[in-house]
């Protein structure tokens, strides 16, 4: 009977260990830009407006075993904006808004990553729009599906911080807060 009691503990411990989920490190180094999206919402005359950017380039070096060493960069072609109508798209390219003739791209370059737990991260970086740079923190959720990493993130910007929509547009017809959402898709390396 002495040997049976410890053997039961060993068996229970082995079964419990086998039932634990297997967490493996994964590396993501190439963004599939065709499967990825960048969208935004804002309010105009109390109605919500949805838009997207169709052209961007992204680089990624993200290892879940060493997230603090991760690096990400994004360059958005601002003239690829689609705010739902050709009139809106034309207006947003003008000097009062994005001024795409002078500032054709917006960029984000990461400077640090903090692990929040449960596949959540906070990515800090420098966002540059219209020649103005601000440090932003972007909460990101990483989902892995069939060896594909899906990085979902969202942040809220104030257009006034980047002098977007000045002049007659500064009166509040368009909300100052712009909600940015992105989904970057990257195959596991």
């Amino acid at each position: 009977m002495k040997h049976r009691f410890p053997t039961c503990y060993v068996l229970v411990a082995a079964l419990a260990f086998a039932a634990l989920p297997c967490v493996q490190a994964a590396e993501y180094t190439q963004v599939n830009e065709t499967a990825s999206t960048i969208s935004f919402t804002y309010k105009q005359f109390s109605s919500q407006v949805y838009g997207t950017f169709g052209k961007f380039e992204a680089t990624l070096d993200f290892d879940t075993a060493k997230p603090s060493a991760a690096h990400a960069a994004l360059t958005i072609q601002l003239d690829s904006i689609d705010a739902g109508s050709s009139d809106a798209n034309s207006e947003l390219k003008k000097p009062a808004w994005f001024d795409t003739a002078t500032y054709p791209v917006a960029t984000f370059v990461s400077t640090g990553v903090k692990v929040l737990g449960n596949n959540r991260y906070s990515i800090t970086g420098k966002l540059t729009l219209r020649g103005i740079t601000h440090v932003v923190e972007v909460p990101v959720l990483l989902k892995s599906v069939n060896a594909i990493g899906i990085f979902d993130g969202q942040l809220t910007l104030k257009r006034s911080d980047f002098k977007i929509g000045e002049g007659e547009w500064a009166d509040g017809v368009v909300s100052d807060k712009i909600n940015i959402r992105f989904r970057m898709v990257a195959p596991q390396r």
Side-chain angles (χ1 to χ4, degrees):
M1 288 302 247
K2 282 188 200 179
H3 298 290
R4 201 165 174 219
F5 187 70
T7 304
C8 287
Y9 275 130
V10 170
L11 182 60
V12 168
L15 288 173
F17 181 73
L20 290 174
C22 182
V23 177
Q24 296 180 355
E27 274 187 80
Y28 304 98
T29 58
Q30 186 175 16
V31 174
N32 179 339
E33 293 159 2
T34 304
S36 300
T37 59
I38 301 172
S39 63
F40 58 90
T41 57
Y42 62 93
K43 290 200 174 190
Q44 183 172 350
F45 294 117
S46 301
S47 296
Q48 187 151 321
V49 178
Y50 173 83
T52 61
F53 289 99
K55 293 181 185 174
F56 55 87
E57 294 176 8
T59 60
L60 179 66
D61 185 3
F62 193 94
D63 184 345
T64 58
K66 299 178 269 180
S68 62
H71 182 73
L74 178 66
T75 300
I76 301 169
Q77 299 295 324
L78 295 175
D79 65 356
S80 72
I81 193 165
D82 183 356
S85 75
S86 59
D87 288 342
N89 298 344
S90 295
E91 187 63 37
L92 290 169
K93 294 175 188 178
K94 292 180 178 178
W97 291 93
F98 286 118
D99 191 4
T100 59
T102 307
Y103 307 103
V105 298
T107 60
F108 172 82
V109 178
S110 68
T111 57
V113 176
K114 184 172 23 170
V115 178
L116 302 177
N118 295 325
N119 298 318
R120 294 184 183 280
Y121 303 89
S122 178
I123 300 176
T124 303
K126 295 179 180 180
L127 176 65
T128 303
L129 280 162
R130 291 180 53 105
I132 300 169
T133 301
H134 287 285
V135 174
V136 296
E137 286 188 40
V138 184
V140 175
L141 171 64
L142 171 58
K143 298 179 232 169
S144 182
V145 179
N146 299 324
I148 303 290
I150 302 168
F151 295 80
D152 282 322
Q154 177 177 317
L155 72 151
T156 301
L157 301 177
K158 288 186 176 181
R159 61 184 178 85
S160 59
D161 288 346
F162 296 94
K163 298 184 179 179
I164 298 171
E166 293 189 306
E168 67 181 284
W169 297 104
D171 66 359
V173 170
V174 176
S175 62
D176 192 31
K177 290 184 179 181
I178 309 295
N179 298 308
I180 312 290
R181 297 187 131 231
F182 64 86
R183 171 172 280 191
M184 294 294 138
V185 178
Q188 187 174 328
R189 189 171 92 163

